Amino acid sequence: MTRNLVVVGHGMVGHHLVAEVRARDRGGAWRITVHGEEGRPAYDRVALSSYAHGRDAAALTLPPEPLEGADVRLGSTVTAVDPARRTVRRADGREVPYDALVLATGSRPFVPPVPGHDLPGCHVYRTIEDVDAIRAAARPGRPAVVIGGGLLGLEAASALHALGMRTEVVERAPWLMALQVDAGGGAVLGRRISALGIGVHCDAAVESVDPGADGAVAAVTLAGAGPLPADLVVFAAGVRPRDELAAAAGLARAERGGILTDRHCRTSDPAVWAVGECAAVEGRCHGMVAPGRRMAEAVAAQLTGDTAAAFPGADPAARLKLLGVEVAGFGDVQGREPGALEFVRHDHRRDAYAKLTLAADARTVLGAVLSGDTRAYPALHALYGRTLTASADRLLHTPG
């Protein structure tokens, strides 16, 4: 008997889930309906910055072939879930029944509730439409402020810099990319970005976004500091899981937000799963695409017979190139493990920083940070959780 699988969310993770179910469901046991809130097919959101730099939007679209046979409904907003009746209700009032429901609703940008956050000229950086609005508003030579110095914020700064705006980055943490690198790596990143002409303000809190005479954004005031002129402000200070559908349906949520699931990505209702940025697997949200894909694979396996399949966890690794600066980190980047030892190599001539975190035995690799030069990353990451194969100095050394 064919059963109904409804997927709410048509982003990268929702797309991967459907592709995995279609690939595994050889007997055609599932009739799949996908509801996508955006009016365009799923696209590579990780590559959003390339679109900001002029890449065609169509080039970001994910291939439709893996979804062949699924009923993908674009511009279709689901407004309610009824677990008792096993239906979802769309914005047009129609109810759609399901035997299994997967919530892949993603996340929304976090906009700090500071005075003036909603003035004309304030933007977020999340979708193709957001980038379109920023490009339309950008004026070369005029000042812009990005609030947030993490991955998303630096990508937004890169876009504004490419559009010719005089860009400043404001970060509340003591250094940029505080989740991925340590203070030394963040310092190198900050210096190199500053050398490009982008202002960097770390350990800084936004007090207000201030209007000009026309009512639009004119400045951003930092606590304890003077105002930064701004014709345009981009909030890129993180995301929050979209768990409102689950909350209204009575599904359990994690203490800090997100749809609470077990390690199988199953929610408090046995017919409902959650994957991607909206899911708090055993209480923890994962804000990257790679963990979301692993969640999708686990759920697809369960839906096609492997009931024991579970989310294997996230690889805490990142290797990035931001504004031309190479950055990488994995594992215990801050050296917080009890007894952890840190071996640091800083090439001041090239301003390239590398740190290896070792366990108390001085042999087991717990993590690493690389900033300015990431050529050593493959060899270091391969040793994560394993014993050193050479001296730390040799592993971190990359000739100039």
Side-chain angles (χ1 to χ4, degrees):
M1 181 182 298
T2 302
R3 293 178 292 168
N4 294 318
L5 169 63
V6 172
V7 180
V8 180
H10 187 44
M12 297 178 71
V13 174
H15 181 279
H16 189 60
L17 170 81
V18 176
E20 285 290 307
V21 173
R22 295 293 300 160
R24 297 166 186 261
D25 183 21
R26 302 296 185 184
W30 289 104
R31 181 186 299 110
I32 305 173
T33 304
V34 183
H35 295 278
E37 195 171 50
E38 293 185 60
R40 64 175 71 244
Y43 57 91
D44 184 358
R45 206 180 300 275
V46 175
L48 196 60
S49 288
S50 68
Y51 175 66
H53 285 267
R55 189 180 180 193
D56 187 72
L60 274 64
T61 302
L62 300 181
E65 292 81 10
L67 275 59
E68 186 177 343
D71 182 7
V72 179
R73 304 181 182 186
L74 304 178
S76 176
T77 301
V78 171
T79 58
V81 175
D82 187 338
R85 298 175 56 234
R86 291 194 177 181
T87 61
V88 300
R89 186 169 66 248
R90 303 188 328 202
D92 62 7
R94 181 180 174 185
E95 291 191 336
V96 180
Y98 66 81
D99 296 291
L101 171 66
V102 180
L103 300 174
T105 48
S107 60
R108 62 181 179 278
F110 170 66
V111 178
V114 296
H117 70 273
D118 54 354
L119 288 173
C122 288
H123 300 264
V124 293
Y125 192 82
R126 180 67 178 168
T127 67
I128 285 176
E129 287 69 28
D130 293 335
V131 174
D132 285 339
I134 290 168
R135 287 202 299 200
R139 297 291 181 268
R142 299 300 299 166
V145 173
V146 176
I147 298 173
L151 172 58
L152 202 62
L154 295 184
E155 288 185 346
S158 176
L160 291 171
H161 183 66
L163 291 167
M165 298 201 75
R166 293 188 286 112
T167 307
E168 310 274 343
V169 176
V170 176
E171 169 56 40
R172 191 171 189 120
W175 60 84
L176 300 175
M177 297 287 290
L179 294 179
Q180 287 82 19
V181 302
D182 67 349
V188 168
L189 179 60
R191 283 193 296 271
R192 290 199 170 201
I193 289 175
S194 295
L196 298 175
I198 296 174
V200 176
H201 308 265
C202 292
D203 211 5
V206 175
E207 192 170 87
S208 63
V209 179
D210 309 319
D214 61 356
V217 167
V220 172
T221 297
L222 305 183
L228 297 174
D231 284 5
L232 187 154
V233 172
V234 177
F235 287 98
V239 296
R240 296 293 183 267
R242 292 194 58 184
D243 55 12
E244 59 271 21
L245 268 180
L251 299 176
R253 291 189 297 170
E255 184 178 347
R256 302 178 69 176
I259 306 168
L260 184 63
T261 78
D262 61 16
R263 65 190 188 93
H264 303 282
C265 300
R266 196 187 296 263
T267 72
S268 54
D269 184 289
V272 183
W273 288 258
V275 296
E277 292 179 320
C278 69
V281 182
E282 296 186 312
R284 181 185 174 190
C285 290
H286 299 270
M288 302 289 280
V289 173
R293 289 172 62 92
R294 295 190 186 99
M295 294 178 205
E297 289 159 8
V299 173
Q302 293 169 57
L303 292 171
T304 53
D306 184 2
T307 57
F311 173 55
D315 180 3
R319 186 183 188 184
L320 311 161
K321 192 169 186 178
L322 301 163
L323 290 153
V325 185
E326 295 181 341
V327 179
F330 67 85
D332 186 7
V333 299
Q334 309 296 349
R336 291 174 176 159
E337 184 76 18
L341 305 172
E342 298 181 340
F343 188 96
V344 174
R345 184 184 184 94
H346 189 176
D347 184 333
H348 292 275
R349 180 178 59 84
R350 295 187 297 132
D351 203 10
Y353 174 92
K355 183 182 82 173
L356 191 61
T357 305
L358 303 176
D361 63 6
R363 299 179 62 199
T364 306
V365 176
L366 298 180
V369 175
L370 301 167
S371 187
D373 186 341
T374 62
R375 285 178 290 167
Y377 175 83
L380 293 174
H381 189 244
L383 291 172
Y384 183 34
R386 299 171 57 193
T387 302
L388 289 175
T389 55
S391 70
D393 184 65
R394 180 178 175 185
L395 288 168
L396 295 180
H397 180 63
T398 52

